[in-house]
Amino acid sequence: MSQEIQRFPIRFTGANKAMAVLGLTQGNSYVDVSATDVVVRLGWAFRATVPRSSVQSVAPDHDRVWGWGAHGWNGRWLVNGSSSRIVRVELRPEGRARVAGFPVSLRELRVSVDDPTGLEAALAPIEA
């Protein structure tokens, strides 16, 4: 029996579509949500797989964006190809991710997607 996976492509807009020259495209940049896992990928630049049960909160994010790609510090990461349609996901316990192959902690993810409302619904915390 196969597990249903909902895929939400990472949003690339304007000049950020040029990130394709670095190998970062919608084809290899997405958030996959299943009943058990959340997988986030921005091409080779960012990868994370966290248990679905770690999602504590999910909400629209309207904070200022200062860059595009995958960047962050101290467990807070922005993964985007656009300054709009960003969703903030809080994780507890924190997860692990890889940025350009280097391991990092992940407790807050801000991610730009084409369908933020759909991602918010798919990630709504599971009630115990």
Side-chain angles (χ1 to χ4, degrees), residues 33-44:
V33 180
S34 73
T36 57
D37 295 305
V38 179
V39 175
V40 183
R41 182 171 176 196
L42 182 67
W44 55 266

Side-chain angles (χ1 to χ4, degrees), residues 72-124:
W73 185 254
N74 198 25
R76 300 179 69 202
W77 288 91
L78 173 63
V79 177
N80 67 327
S82 176
S83 298
S84 64
R85 298 186 187 178
I86 296 177
V87 175
R88 181 184 309 257
V89 181
E90 299 283 341
L91 302 169
R92 299 292 181 277
E94 73 180 24
R96 300 295 293 164
R98 289 195 169 272
V99 177
F102 294 95
V104 297
S105 63
L106 179 62
R107 63 181 169 79
E108 178 185 279
L109 172 69
R110 298 173 67 207
V111 61
S112 64
V113 291
D114 282 338
D115 180 9
T117 304
L119 180 60
E120 290 168 36
L123 287 177

